[in-house]
Amino acid sequence: QVQLVESGGGLVQPGGSLRLSCAASGSISSINVMGWYRQAPGKQRELVATITTGGITNFADSVKGRFTISRDNAKGAMYLQMNSLKPEDTAIYYCNAVVISVVPLKRNDYWGQGTQVTVSS
C-alpha cells in the first residue's frame, strides 16, 4: 500500500511559478513510476508528467518547456516545478504512483487527494 499527499498549490498570476510536492509513505520502495495528473472543471483527468525510478521523464505537449518533474526515490518524494503558468493550467493536480506486481502480474495505481492550482490575474 502507498499513501500520497500533495502540497504546494495555490493562486498565482499568469506568468508566475509554483512548485508542487508529493510525499509518499508506505511501501515506497515498490513504486515504479510516479506522475502528476490534472483535472479542470468539466474536463477529464489528463497526464501532466511522469518520472520513472531511473529518472526517465515524459511530459504532456502542453507543458513541455515550462514544467519540470523530479523525484527523490529514497524519500518517496516527487516535485513538479511549474513556470510560465497560464490560465489554462488551472486545475486540481493529483499525484500518482504506480506499483507493478509480478506475481500475479498486476498494475496498482495510487492517488493523492489533489491540490488546487489557480492561474488568474
Side-chain angles (χ1 to χ4, degrees):
Q1 290 288 334
V2 174
Q3 297 79 42
L4 303 170
V5 178
E6 304 96 335
S7 61
L11 173 65
V12 63
Q13 292 187 340
S17 298
L18 277 177
R19 186 181 191 233
L20 303 183
S21 298
C22 174
S25 60
S27 302
I28 61 174
S29 62
S30 66
I31 297 173
N32 299 106
V33 180
M34 296 188 76
W36 291 96
Y37 291 72
R38 67 187 182 187
Q39 187 167 17
K43 295 187 177 181
Q44 290 188 330
R45 189 174 297 189
E46 63 177 5
L47 179 146
V48 176
T50 60
I51 183 167
T52 68
T53 304
I56 298 173
T57 59
N58 179 53
F59 294 91
D61 288 342
S62 59
V63 306
K64 282 181 181 176
R66 300 189 297 122
F67 291 10
T68 57
I69 188 171
S70 59
R71 179 176 169 180
D72 185 328
N73 294 325
K75 294 182 178 179
M78 179 179 62
Y79 309 97
L80 185 69
Q81 178 65 43
M82 305 185 293
N83 299 327
S84 303
L85 283 161
K86 304 175 181 180
E88 50 264 43
D89 293 318
T90 296
I92 299 174
Y93 284 70
Y94 296 92
C95 174
N96 169 260
V98 177
V99 174
I100 298 175
S101 62
V102 177
V103 180
L105 185 60
K106 182 182 178 183
R107 170 179 170 146
N108 298 283
D109 280 79
Y110 298 92
W111 296 92
Q113 82 288 350
T115 185
Q116 177 70 47
V117 172
T118 302
V119 184
S120 175
S121 55

